[in-house]
């Protein structure tokens, strides 16, 4: 599907806040029909208003993605009220900030059910509708942590690694079947989202994303581009993502030691964790209050990524590089003659 597709139907999970909220708004700006799946009524209502204000059509469907029955019912409703689903974007997640030994088994299970199985559920519901039509795109919103685990986020890293493996297997199966349904994954950097104000934290100080921090609109642009160009197996967003994944491929042991020294401090601010901080592990934090797309780090976050632009224009850059190389070679030959 391209940006010229009229009345594109898009489903976004985790749409009430953070990256999901920004993605829904970006598709709304393209006049898409957007089904918004999340648990919090206040956040969902505000997200629907955003989509409508941007020029799209919104359908808010309260959904816990950990429950496949709810996801299937949401997909059915989306197709009934909006039309056949063209794009399904999996974003919804929850987490626990804590050393592994301080995470209870039921907490770890809940993170896995939402942050990994929620993607499996969304993908299953999408494929049940896309495969018979032999068209459609599924975008998995991932993270640099799909490749590189970091301290204090074992549950989240485990889920992202699982998504990576499941999505690669699915992609191979779709290629084997000769299907025109596409799946792609977008690996994100640290993003300024409300998660640092509402996930369960057992840290002594306020949790924060590891700098450099990007605004959720950067992530949203990457997701929309991936939905339009799903032939690539995955996209990396932000120079920090590229640096992390390259370093992990080249020298993972050194990176282990570096993160052991810096990972605790870099994921916490100097302020104590608020005593009344909301939590969204078991129930939505935005049931009665809208948190929006942005977190608390607007002053530290950047609204653009040169790496993202380069990733989206690699063919142009390659052509430009070839032209520069040819010009340089011609000048060198002229100088020698």
């Amino acid at each position: 599907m391209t940006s010229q597709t009229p009345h594109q139907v898009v489903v976004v999970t985790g749409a009430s806040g953070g990256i999901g909220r920004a993605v829904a708004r970006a598709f709304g700006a393209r006049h898409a029909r957007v089904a918004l799946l999340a648990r919090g009524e206040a956040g969902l209502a505000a997200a629907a208003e955003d989509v409508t204000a941007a020029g799209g059509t919104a359908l808010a469907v309260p959904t816990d993605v950990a429950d496949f029955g709810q996801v299937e019912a949401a997909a059915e409703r989306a197709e009934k009220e909006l039309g056949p689903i063209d794009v399904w974007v999996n974003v919804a997640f929850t987490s626990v900030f804590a050393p592994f030994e301080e995470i209870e088994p039921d907490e770890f299970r809940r993170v896995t059910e939402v942050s990994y199985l929620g993607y499996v559920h969304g993908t299953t519901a999408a494929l049940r509708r896309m495969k018979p039509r032999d068209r459609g795109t599924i975008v998995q919103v991932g993270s640099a942590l799909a490749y590189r685990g970091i301290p204090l986020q074992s549950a989240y890293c485990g889920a992202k690694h699982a998504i990576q493996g499941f999505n690669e297997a699915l992609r191979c199966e779709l290629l084997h079947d000769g299907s025109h349904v596409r799946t792609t994954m977008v690996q994100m950097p640290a993003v300024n989202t409300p998660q640092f104000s509402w996930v369960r934290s057992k840290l002594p100080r306020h949790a924060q994303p590891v700098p450099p921090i990007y605004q959720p609109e950067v992530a949203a642009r990457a997701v929309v581009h991936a939905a339009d160009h799903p032939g690539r197996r995955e996209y990396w967003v932000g120079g920090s993502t590229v640096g992390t994944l390259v370093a992990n491929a080249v020298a993972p042991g050194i990176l282990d030691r570096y993160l052991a020294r810096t990972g605790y401090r870099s994921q916490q601010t100097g302020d104590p964790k608020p005593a009344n901080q909301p939590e969204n592990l078991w129930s939505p934090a935005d049931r009665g209050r809208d948190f929006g797309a942005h977190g608390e780090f607007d002053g530290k976050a950047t609204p653009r990524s040169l790496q993202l632009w380069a990733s989206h224009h690699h063919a142009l850059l390659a052509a430009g590089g070839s032209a520069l190389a040819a010009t340089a070679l011609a000048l060198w030959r002229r100088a020698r003659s």
Side-chain angles (χ1 to χ4, degrees), residues 186-188 214-215 217-223 225-226 232 235-239 242 303-314 317:
V186 185
Q187 312 295 12
M188 296 297 180
Y214 296 85
Q215 294 288 26
E217 288 74 20
V218 174
R221 289 196 294 273
V223 169
H225 182 84
R232 282 177 60 176
Y235 291 84
W236 296 358
V237 181
V242 174
R304 59 187 60 85
S305 167
L306 179 60
Q307 180 278 332
L308 178 62
W309 183 90
S311 176
H312 292 177
H313 298 84
H314 62 277
L317 291 174

Side-chain angles (χ1 to χ4, degrees), residues 93-259:
F93 77 94
T94 189
S95 189
V96 177
F97 284 111
F100 170 72
E101 63 201 47
E102 295 181 19
I103 303 175
E104 297 298 327
D106 63 334
E107 294 173 332
F108 212 103
R109 183 181 302 108
R110 175 62 179 171
V111 173
T112 303
E113 289 172 347
V114 174
S115 304
Y116 169 48
L117 292 181
Y119 278 52
V120 173
H121 295 161
T123 301
T124 301
L127 283 177
R128 285 183 174 181
R129 290 153 179 84
M130 294 176 177
K131 282 290 291 288
R133 296 192 288 260
D134 198 30
R135 62 181 177 85
T137 297
I138 302 166
V139 181
Q140 320 285 13
V141 174
S143 167
L145 305 188
Y147 288 95
R148 173 67 247 182
I150 64 174
L152 305 179
Q153 296 203 48
S154 58
Y156 178 82
C157 292
K160 289 301 181 184
H161 276 66
I163 295 164
Q164 180 72 21
F166 129 74
N167 188 63
E168 288 176 348
L170 171 61
R171 186 171 189 273
C172 292
E173 292 173 6
L174 291 172
L175 290 171
H176 171 270
D177 293 343
S179 174
H180 290 97
V181 176
R182 298 288 182 261
T183 182
T184 187
M185 194 162 177
V186 185
Q187 312 295 12
M188 296 297 180
V191 181
N192 176 34
T193 72
Q195 68 158 303
F196 302 94
S197 299
W198 70 19
V199 302
R200 176 164 291 187
S201 175
K202 301 182 181 183
L203 306 179
R205 290 174 291 172
H206 196 303
Q208 70 169 359
V210 179
I213 306 168
Y214 296 85
Q215 294 288 26
E217 288 74 20
V218 174
R221 289 196 294 273
V223 169
V224 171
H225 182 84
D228 288 344
H229 305 86
R232 282 177 60 176
R233 68 193 305 273
E234 68 178 25
Y235 291 84
W236 296 358
V237 181
S240 56
T241 298
V242 174
T244 298
L245 300 189
V246 170
N248 191 61
V250 174
I254 293 174
L255 196 53
D256 288 345
R257 290 168 174 79
Y258 172 77
L259 290 168

